[in-house]
Amino acid sequence: MNKQYPFFVKLTIGLILLILVSFIFIRAAGVLIPLFAATLFSILFFPIAEWMERFYISRLASSLISILLVFIFFSGLVYVLSHEIIGLSQDIPKMQSQAGNKITAIQSFIRSETNMSSARQIAWLRDKFYESIATGGFLIQNVLFSFTSTFILIIFIPIYMFFLLYNRDKFKVFILMVTHEDLHVKVDKIINQIQKMIQSYLSGVFIVMLIVATFNTAGLLILGIQYAVFFGILSAILNIIPYIGIFSACAMTALVAFITKESGWYTVGVVCIFLFMHLIESNILTPRIVGSKVSVNAFVAIIALLFGSMLWGIAGMILFIPMAGMVKIVCDNIDSLKPFGYLIGTEFPARKPPKPRNPEQTTPHELKETP
């Protein structure tokens, strides 16, 4: 007879496990981040590798060709971004100097329009502007550093990806071996659902990223914004992070436009471009191309973003969304975890129809209004 533990005991055990897993995630981030990213890419390339093997291409050759495709993609991305990243990092001191001139002009405008001649108010305003500009420059430097660290971790992705592709059948057999025979059908179903979810999600995300990067880069080039290619691609990459990424990219690009351009209309133009593309992406592109492949609700997505950011930084904010989708699939297929799958998902309980009222309880006033 199975012993039933009280709820608070189960809750305590769950919290302890969560703390242990979080500790492992933090301490082993250098290994787990590229490993999890390689797992996602491997699942994405499973159909391509299997298609090549149908034409009598060996498992070794199909795995190497898949890695070569990933290497070409990232090499092209690094090549395009490296020149602008170096130039932008070198121009940050120059931008801070230009920001000082902008602040002086704003102070002159405020003095002429409002007659605010108080030295204390002007000094306070100047300090606040300098603090904002310094914060913006620090934000850009942090983003550059984070992407540099991410590119370093990317070196390990092809290595992990090769072994995952080459031994993909072995890993599946291992999972089946460690589970009870009665659960093999359910485990196989979970594996297939996770594979389809990740393939659909990643392929759709890459298509949306390409469209967003093309549109934003073209718009910034038309406006003549410096480093338009970098900010266009950056906006597409950060767009993977729901609710936060696109606004962070917009804020950084608008800050550069404000500093480097004489007219403030360029800043307004940058904001309009990003907001217009965000509306198109969130209401048309993502629903139709990506759809609800990772069917987690907005509240859980925000928690996953914050938790991923706390553990793995930008990489965690990107990787924890599909991880939440995988957790939901597992919960949906295990009876004892179905309540958690329902809590994570986007499903809502069906509304019960109102009970019919007794005609004898109907008031004369209601009878007059009934057609």
Side-chain angles (χ1 to χ4, degrees):
M1 183 174 180
N2 295 330
K3 184 178 180 180
Q4 296 293 330
Y5 293 97
F7 174 75
F8 71 89
V9 175
K10 296 180 180 179
L11 180 62
T12 303
I13 295 174
L15 291 176
I16 293 174
L17 290 176
L18 180 62
I19 293 172
L20 290 176
V21 170
S22 301
F23 177 77
I24 294 172
F25 274 29
I26 294 173
R27 299 297 296 178
V31 176
L32 294 179
I33 292 175
L35 179 60
F36 189 74
T39 303
L40 296 181
F41 279 109
S42 299
I43 294 175
L44 179 64
F45 278 84
F46 277 172
I48 299 176
E50 292 177 351
W51 177 80
M52 287 188 287
E53 291 169 12
R54 292 176 189 170
F55 294 93
Y56 304 101
I57 298 176
S58 65
R59 174 69 62 89
L60 177 63
S62 65
S63 301
L64 290 175
I65 293 173
S66 300
I67 293 172
L68 181 61
L69 294 175
V70 176
F71 179 78
I72 292 173
F73 170 77
F74 282 112
S75 298
L77 185 63
V78 171
Y79 176 79
V80 172
L81 293 179
S82 59
H83 177 73
E84 299 222 342
I85 288 176
I86 294 172
L88 178 59
S89 61
Q90 292 176 348
D91 285 347
I92 287 179
K94 180 182 177 181
M95 290 181 183
Q96 289 177 339
S97 176
Q98 292 175 331
N101 297 331
K102 286 281 186 179
I103 293 171
T104 302
I106 292 174
Q107 287 178 348
S108 300
F109 175 78
I110 294 176
R111 188 182 301 114
S112 62
E113 293 295 327
T114 62
N115 294 322
M116 294 176 63
S117 57
S118 173
R120 180 184 235 174
Q121 291 179 351
I122 294 177
W124 179 86
L125 182 63
R126 186 182 185 89
D127 291 339
K128 289 299 179 182
F129 268 108
Y130 270 123
E131 184 180 339
S132 300
I133 296 300
T135 303
F138 181 73
L139 177 62
I140 293 175
Q141 288 176 334
N142 274 349
V143 171
L144 296 178
F145 176 77
S146 298
F147 273 94
T148 303
S149 303
T150 303
F151 283 134
I152 293 175
L153 292 176
I154 284 174
I155 298 175
F156 294 97
I157 292 179
I159 300 174
Y160 295 148
M161 186 176 171
F162 169 78
F163 290 106
L164 290 171
L165 285 172
Y166 188 75
N167 298 300
R168 59 183 181 271
D169 296 332
K170 193 170 186 177
F171 289 113
K172 184 174 182 179
V173 172
F174 167 76
I175 295 174
L176 294 175
M177 289 177 65
V178 297
T179 56
H180 195 273
E181 186 176 354
D182 296 338
L183 300 176
H184 284 183
V185 175
K186 183 171 291 188
V187 171
D188 187 68
K189 179 182 176 182
I190 293 174
I191 294 174
N192 292 331
Q193 287 182 354
I194 290 176
Q195 181 176 338
K196 291 179 181 179
M197 181 271 293
I198 291 177
Q199 289 171 355
S200 301
Y201 174 73
L202 289 182
S203 58
V205 164
F206 281 126
I207 294 174
V208 172
M209 284 176 58
L210 181 61
I211 297 174
V212 171
T214 302
F215 180 87
N216 287 345
T217 301
L220 295 177
L221 287 173
I222 293 173
L223 288 178
I225 305 299
Q226 291 185 358
Y227 309 106
V229 176
F230 169 74
F231 285 112
I233 298 177
L234 177 65
S235 66
I237 295 175
L238 293 181
N239 192 63
I240 302 175
I241 306 173
Y243 316 111
I244 299 174
I246 189 66
F247 295 105
S248 300
C250 178
M252 287 186 287
T253 311
L255 178 64
V256 171
F258 172 77
I259 294 173
T260 58
K261 294 294 183 181
E262 294 294 332
S263 175
W265 288 108
Y266 288 96
T267 305
V268 176
V270 168
V271 174
C272 290
I273 289 173
F274 277 80
L275 288 182
F276 177 76
M277 189 64 235
H278 175 63
L279 292 175
I280 297 297
E281 177 269 328
S282 59
N283 293 287
I284 298 177
L285 297 179
T286 296
R288 295 191 177 186
I289 298 176
V290 179
S292 56
K293 304 303 179 184
V294 183
S295 54
V296 297
N297 59 64
F299 178 67
V300 174
I302 292 174
I303 293 178
L305 288 175
L306 297 176
F307 200 65
S309 175
M310 180 182 66
L311 297 181
W312 289 350
I314 292 179
M317 297 178 75
I318 296 173
L319 296 176
F320 269 56
I321 295 298
M323 188 182 294
M326 295 169 63
V327 171
K328 184 184 185 306
I329 291 175
V330 173
C331 292
D332 287 342
N333 286 275
I334 298 178
D335 293 336
S336 59
L337 299 179
K338 281 185 177 180
F340 296 98
Y342 171 77
L343 183 65
I344 295 172
T346 57
E347 303 88 355
F348 286 93
R351 293 183 178 180
K352 297 180 179 180
K355 295 181 180 180
R357 296 181 60 182
N358 189 348
E360 296 179 357
Q361 297 177 352
T362 305
T363 62
H365 178 70
E366 290 176 339
L367 290 173
K368 291 181 181 179
E369 293 181 351
T370 302

